[in-house]
Amino acid sequence: MFLKRTIIENPLWLHLPQQHASRCLLRQNRACSNVERWNANFSRLYARRMLELLAGSAAFYSLNNKGKTSADALLAEARNITKPSDWLSYHENQKDWTKEMMDSLGTSSISRWTMAFGRLVNLGLLASPLLVLAPLSFIPTPTLFSSSKNEEESRRRSHSIFQDLMWDYMLFAIDAAGPTFIKFVQWATTRQDLFSQEFCSHFGKLHDSTRGHSWNFTVDLLEKELGKDWKSLMQIEPEPVGSGCIAQVYKGILQESTPTMPKGSAIAIKVQHPNIWDKVCADFFILQHIANAFESIPFLNLDYLSVRDTVDQFAQAMLPQLDLVLEGKHLQRFSRNFADNPQVDFPIPVEELTTSKVLVETFCEGTPILKYGKDKDQKTKEELAMLGLNTTLTMIFLHDFVS
């Protein structure tokens, strides 16, 4: 009755077809005021809300007709549905990452602050050259370009050679500081509405590649994680394909068959960088105490900004990325969710060769999407944009799973 009365009493519902027709006409004329757009959007939202109420009423009516016993049976059946074993439930099996972080820093306050102090010293040494480069960057330097032909280049370079040195060193320092700072700067470079074009242009290089580790470290870690006979399991090219802020990737060939992959398959081996976990845990331990100190300043009411909550949310998003077993589970779930979609492909992990620091998966050939921004036509760009949008919305609204 509530649904029926709402639909009849609200005249906006009766005008939806008319508004839809006028909206189509306005699109054709390309002359639509803000008020008209708002009316059209509100009408659309109202229609969606009415459809939701209608669907809920229909479901409730169907359950009432079947009787209470039938409804209880359906609910009991729904509770007994078991998820696939390779799905890690967010609520049931998720690690307490805060506890994991604190345990890795030590069991006592002294050990935790000792590690934090060492990390602060390391970050301080990385930042110290900026004390010299920052003031020097404001000093104009003479340029080698003096002819009228190179006048524009002369103006561009006349600001300061030291400014270029400062940007280059800042890029090096953030790369050396570790994943916490790299992830933050990567996010910052996507917000050109908040940061300058120069900032985004210089630090955008962190999206493509970061500083990697040596081949000797890779060999030592593979022996530790997979055993000394790992060479009989796979053949790896010593030159890495790429390097991210958490791990670097090698291309290889599978030497022995597994339950999910035949011998001779092309594989990608993801090897975590050294001491990543300790760096990230120390960073968040320091950031949490800095946030607490800011919020405790009297009369400023900085707790209104929820600085500590923001740091905690960043930690909860960052720490799981350091567990490559969890990443492999997520890849399995993505592959299952999009198994019927030929346009979306995910690497398939080899569970038998995957640990928390090493991930072995199928090697997928591809081209970085950023290259399509310059080299492809408008139609291709639109198709890629729609594919990305549909995939993201499917993850959020249909699969309820976004990693």
Side-chain angles (χ1 to χ4, degrees), residues 119 122-123 125-130 165-189 195 199-200 202-207 209-211 244-246 273 276 279-280 283 318:
R119 179 64 174 156
N122 178 263
L123 294 175
L125 292 174
L126 281 174
S128 58
L130 295 176
L165 290 175
M166 184 187 70
W167 283 114
D168 292 341
Y169 182 78
M170 288 175 64
L171 184 65
F172 164 80
I174 292 173
D175 193 357
T180 308
F181 298 90
I182 295 175
K183 285 288 185 181
F184 177 77
V185 174
Q186 285 177 342
W187 166 82
T189 55
F195 300 93
F199 176 93
C200 297
H202 279 88
F203 293 118
K205 300 173 183 178
L206 293 173
H207 287 283
S209 63
T210 58
R211 186 173 59 172
C245 63
I246 294 175
H273 293 313
I276 287 296
K279 287 182 179 180
V280 173
D283 289 339
M318 183 73 188

Side-chain angles (χ1 to χ4, degrees), residues 31-319:
C32 186
S33 67
N34 288 334
V35 175
E36 290 168 333
R37 289 195 186 96
W38 294 339
N39 288 335
N41 289 334
F42 284 134
S43 299
R44 189 185 300 110
L45 291 173
Y46 182 81
R48 186 171 67 180
R49 179 59 176 166
M50 290 300 102
L51 291 174
E52 290 174 355
L53 290 174
L54 181 63
S57 299
F60 182 76
Y61 177 77
S62 176
L63 289 175
N64 279 344
N65 284 347
K66 291 182 179 180
K68 186 174 184 301
T69 305
S70 178
D72 292 340
L74 289 173
L75 290 174
E77 182 180 354
R79 293 190 186 99
N80 292 330
I81 296 177
T82 57
K83 297 179 181 179
S85 59
D86 59 348
W87 287 17
L88 290 182
S89 172
Y90 181 83
H91 298 287
E92 297 173 3
N93 297 322
Q94 187 192 26
K95 292 182 181 179
D96 185 351
W97 294 105
T98 302
K99 184 178 182 302
E100 293 271 336
M101 180 185 74
M102 299 303 290
D103 290 344
S104 67
L105 292 173
T107 57
S108 65
S109 298
I110 295 177
S111 61
R112 291 169 182 172
W113 278 108
T114 300
M115 182 174 290
F117 179 75
R119 179 64 174 156
L120 284 171
V121 171
N122 178 263
L123 294 175
L125 292 174
L126 281 174
S128 58
L130 295 176
L131 297 175
V132 178
L133 291 175
L136 291 177
S137 65
F138 293 97
I139 303 175
T141 54
T143 178
L144 299 178
F145 299 91
S146 57
S147 64
S148 58
K149 181 179 180 181
N150 294 324
E151 184 176 353
E152 183 177 352
E153 183 72 11
S154 176
R155 288 196 304 269
R156 186 180 69 84
R157 295 198 177 191
S158 63
H159 56 282
S160 177
I161 294 177
F162 293 109
Q163 190 170 8
D164 293 334
L165 290 175
M166 184 187 70
W167 283 114
D168 292 341
Y169 182 78
M170 288 175 64
L171 184 65
F172 164 80
I174 292 173
D175 193 357
T180 308
F181 298 90
I182 295 175
K183 285 288 185 181
F184 177 77
V185 174
Q186 285 177 342
W187 166 82
T189 55
T190 64
R191 298 300 306 270
Q192 297 189 14
D193 56 328
L194 299 178
F195 300 93
S196 67
Q197 179 65 32
E198 191 175 20
F199 176 93
C200 297
S201 175
H202 279 88
F203 293 118
K205 300 173 183 178
L206 293 173
H207 287 283
D208 298 331
S209 63
T210 58
R211 186 173 59 172
H213 58 256
S214 66
W215 169 249
N216 290 334
F217 174 80
T218 297
V219 173
D220 293 339
L221 185 61
L222 290 175
E223 289 183 356
K224 180 180 178 181
E225 297 293 320
L226 303 179
K228 294 184 178 181
D229 60 341
W230 66 269
K231 292 183 179 180
S232 64
L233 304 174
M234 52 188 171
Q235 180 181 356
I236 304 178
E237 298 177 4
E239 189 67 25
V241 177
S243 178
C245 63
I246 294 175
Q248 66 187 37
V249 181
Y250 298 88
K251 185 176 181 180
I253 302 294
L254 198 62
Q255 297 288 82
E256 292 186 5
S257 299
T258 67
T260 58
M261 201 172 301
K263 178 181 178 180
S265 300
I267 56 174
I269 304 92
K270 192 172 183 178
V271 180
Q272 197 174 93
H273 293 313
N275 303 320
I276 287 296
W277 176 261
D278 293 337
K279 287 182 179 180
V280 173
C281 290
D283 289 339
F284 282 114
F285 181 78
I286 296 169
L287 290 174
Q288 285 175 350
H289 283 81
I290 293 176
N292 289 337
F294 272 110
E295 291 186 351
S296 63
I297 297 176
F299 307 113
L300 294 182
N301 295 325
L302 293 178
D303 54 338
Y304 177 75
L305 299 176
S306 300
V307 180
R308 173 59 191 267
D309 291 340
T310 302
V311 172
D312 291 341
Q313 290 176 8
F314 187 22
Q316 291 298 320
M318 183 73 188
L319 292 174

